Amino acid sequence: MNEITLGRTGLKAPQIGLGCMRIAGMELSQGEKLIRTAMENGIHFFDHADIYGGGECESFFAKACGMNSSLREKMILQTKCSIRPGCFDFSKEHILKSVDGSLSRLHTDYVDFLLLHRPDALMEPEEVAEAFRVLKESGKVRYFGVSNQNPGQMALLNKYCDNAIQVNQLQFSIAHCGMIDAGLNVNMDNHEGVVRDSGVLEYCRLHDITIQAWSPFQYGMFEGVFLGNTEKYAKLNEIIDRLAAKYGVSNSAIAVAWISRHPAKIQTIVGTTNPERLAGICASCSVTLTREEWYELYLAAGKKLP
Ligand SMILES: NC(=O)c1ccc[n+]([C@@H]2O[C@H](COP(=O)([O-])OP(=O)(O)OC[C@H]3O[C@@H](n4cnc5c(N)ncnc54)[C@H](OP(=O)(O)O)[C@@H]3O)[C@@H](O)[C@H]2O)c1
């Protein structure tokens, strides 16, 4: 498993993390196998959120792996907070309460990373800073980050939070990469040139903030998986399958290799619940797509170059 350094923490982590959003409702034995397969393949980074399965995903994870202190030390655990029914909440009270809930469900005393899940329009950065201070001093959270935030929002938080933002988790796949489109079409009068994220990719690279790619196999907002979807993504699947055969890996591994090939050192958070598929995805580490292959996949997803 390839490793990257997360943000400016100095902490090494696998370039692939396992997202735990879909694990609630799995058979316990399958959950145990999934986590064991992850660990055996060097994926000791696990992404959670207080809302996944209404908290059930965190509880299931702890139960399935039989969480104990020695296993805990071998893992990097990340969770998120701020999404509440009908609103987003960056209040100190909510952040502290959410972390306590996650720690209890995960059967641990601390998480390595806490991310603010979605921007709160009513954010008061001084209050977030106070929550971060309490969490850091109590040892409940080692590092902090955000998800789905633009550069201005991160800069605002960093101004008050002692430059604490280390990661930003963003939707990113071959089929969903507006931040690439906009970067390729600067100042163009076309659809691709519309900047929807205020240049978040370049900002993160400039400030050593690690981008984590969520939904690496999906298109749209959970509209479906593009892999094997020959109705909507015929050309893309044709190229993916050809490269999968060339490198001797699965189609999912090629989709991850496309993300890893970007020099931003993006960490991909995969959400498979299938241990065999997860093991196959790890083979992406042996693949370095050529520049031509990377662009060929991009274009096959229906993108255009100016
Ligand atoms: N920050 C945020 O706002 C945010 C939002 C969404 C998700 N996330 C995080 O990102 C993680 C990943 O998200 P995700 O689960 O949407 O991503 P994903 O890995 O793109 O999607 C996983 C789904 O794709 C299926 N799949 C994978 N490879 C496939 C293939 N080759 N053929 C057919 N189906 C395939 C999986 O089925 P199998 O289970 O059968 O393999 C699973 O249902 C989540 O677990 C969560 O931790 C964060």
Side-chain angles (χ1 to χ4, degrees), residues 19 22 47 147-148 169 214-215 217-218 252 271-273 277:
R22 299 175 191 265
D47 181 63
S147 180
N148 309 307
Q169 193 172 104
W214 61 262
S215 289
F217 310 126
Q218 310 279 322
S252 320
T272 182
T273 55
R277 195 175 339 262

Side-chain angles (χ1 to χ4, degrees), residues 74-276:
K74 297 184 180 110
M75 292 178 165
I76 301 176
L77 293 185
Q78 171 171 284
T79 195
K80 316 185 200 74
C81 67
S82 88
I83 302 181
R84 285 179 44 207
C87 71
F88 302 114
D89 192 344
F90 283 12
S91 67
K92 177 183 170 189
E93 186 191 4
H94 176 71
I95 293 171
L96 297 184
K97 192 168 153 222
S98 169
V99 169
D100 282 342
S102 289
L103 295 181
S104 155
R105 288 186 293 272
L106 287 166
H107 292 184
T108 182
D109 296 334
Y110 69 98
V111 287
D112 298 281
F113 286 85
L114 174 72
L115 309 191
L116 301 174
H117 208 155
R118 279 208 167 266
D120 173 10
L122 303 181
M123 167 173 88
E124 293 181 46
E126 299 92 331
E127 198 179 339
V128 175
E130 178 57 14
F132 283 6
R133 188 190 61 74
V134 171
L135 290 169
K136 182 104 186 160
E137 284 181 12
S138 63
K140 291 179 180 176
V141 177
R142 292 177 72 197
Y143 305 111
F144 299 90
V146 295
S147 180
N148 309 307
Q149 288 206 4
N150 69 29
Q153 291 164 334
M154 283 187 283
L156 185 56
L157 275 173
N158 267 338
K159 176 179 172 188
Y160 291 91
C161 299
D162 202 17
N163 210 25
I165 305 306
Q166 305 284 356
V167 302
N168 188 3
Q169 193 172 104
L170 297 154
Q171 186 175 5
F172 189 71
S173 73
I174 313 175
H176 183 103
C177 54
M179 51 181 126
I180 299 288
D181 303 340
L184 284 169
N185 289 273
V186 173
N187 201 30
M188 301 293 291
D189 185 15
N190 58 12
H191 172 73
E192 290 78 10
V194 177
V195 183
R196 296 187 173 78
D197 54 52
S198 313
V200 72
L201 176 59
E202 291 75 16
Y203 182 88
C204 286
R205 291 182 77 181
L206 268 171
H207 295 272
D208 297 317
I209 294 169
T210 297
I211 291 178
Q212 295 176 339
W214 61 262
S215 289
F217 310 126
Q218 310 279 322
Y219 63 93
M221 186 71 177
F222 302 120
E223 279 175 55
V225 179
F226 59 81
L227 294 168
N229 183 344
T230 48
E231 206 173 299
K232 202 168 166 57
Y233 289 99
K235 184 74 181 162
L236 178 59
N237 278 286
E238 184 192 317
I239 311 296
I240 287 176
D241 290 347
R242 194 191 79 220
L243 293 172
K246 174 184 166 183
Y247 288 104
V249 299
S250 64
N251 58 357
S252 320
I254 293 297
V256 172
W258 186 83
I259 297 171
S260 307
R261 175 64 178 79
H262 193 280
K265 295 192 172 40
I266 294 168
Q267 186 185 38
T268 302
I269 308 296
V270 300
T272 182
T273 55
N274 179 326
E276 287 75 32

Side-chain angles (χ1 to χ4, degrees), residues 63-76:
K63 198 170 171 196
C65 71
M67 184 64 82
N68 59 58
S69 54
S70 102
L71 180 63
R72 173 66 189 92
E73 292 310 306
K74 297 184 180 110
M75 292 178 165
I76 301 176

